Amino acid sequence: MTKVVYDTWQSVMNHERNPLRHIPDLNTRHMVMQVLAWMWCIIFSMYFSSMWMFGITATAHVFLIGAIALTVATFETAKRKPKFFIKKGYHTPSRSRYMYYKGKRIKYDDNDIGGEHE
């Protein structure tokens, strides 16, 4: 039974196994999945005859599918361009280039790559 549920899920939700795999552009596939999700939100809302249900299901679908798409995009970037995540210089963009001690400004060394643990 578990295999049947898993295979059914994969045949619908896995963009490499469902019929949308024939669309070459990943962004277009994602958009089509979003439109289908909205369609199903509307259908379930009409079935339960509640616009509140539409708001809940539509929001849930946007967050769920958006999170999946962001995760897939991050994994693909890590696979294809792993150096994208490593920047020259400071690794933490929020880290200041200066430090203050007893009211005096202390400048970090320009060759310091940043990070508290380095």
Side-chain angles (χ1 to χ4, degrees):
M1 181 64 177
T2 304
K3 183 170 176 20
V4 171
V5 171
Y6 177 78
D7 288 340
T8 303
W9 173 267
Q10 289 293 322
S11 68
V12 174
M13 298 305 288
N14 187 343
H15 70 92
E16 293 175 350
R17 290 185 60 188
N18 68 21
L20 297 179
R21 71 181 176 272
H22 301 294
I23 300 172
D25 183 32
L26 184 62
N27 293 328
T28 305
R29 278 190 232 167
H30 172 70
M31 184 62 199
V32 171
M33 286 295 285
Q34 284 283 1
V35 170
L36 289 172
W38 280 92
M39 178 195 70
W40 282 105
C41 290
I42 293 168
I43 288 171
F44 278 112
S45 298
M46 291 170 67
Y47 177 76
F48 290 111
S49 66
S50 169
M51 287 312 290
W52 285 104
M53 186 62 67
F54 171 74
I56 293 168
T57 58
T59 303
H61 276 89
V62 166
F63 284 120
L64 180 67
I65 294 174
I68 291 170
L70 183 62
T71 302
V72 168
T74 303
F75 288 170
E76 287 296 314
T77 302
K79 183 170 73 173
R80 295 177 190 201
K81 299 177 189 175
K83 293 188 180 209
F84 173 79
F85 297 100
I86 300 173
K87 302 293 181 197
K88 184 178 179 184
Y90 277 72
H91 291 216
T92 308
S94 62
R95 183 174 181 213
S96 174
R97 290 292 290 163
Y98 303 99
M99 183 170 94
Y100 288 88
Y101 180 72
K102 293 186 179 182
K104 294 182 181 177
R105 186 167 114 178
I106 301 169
K107 186 179 184 310
Y108 289 122
D109 181 12
D110 287 332
N111 295 323
D112 180 16
I113 62 169
E116 307 88 59
H117 307 289
E118 296 176 18

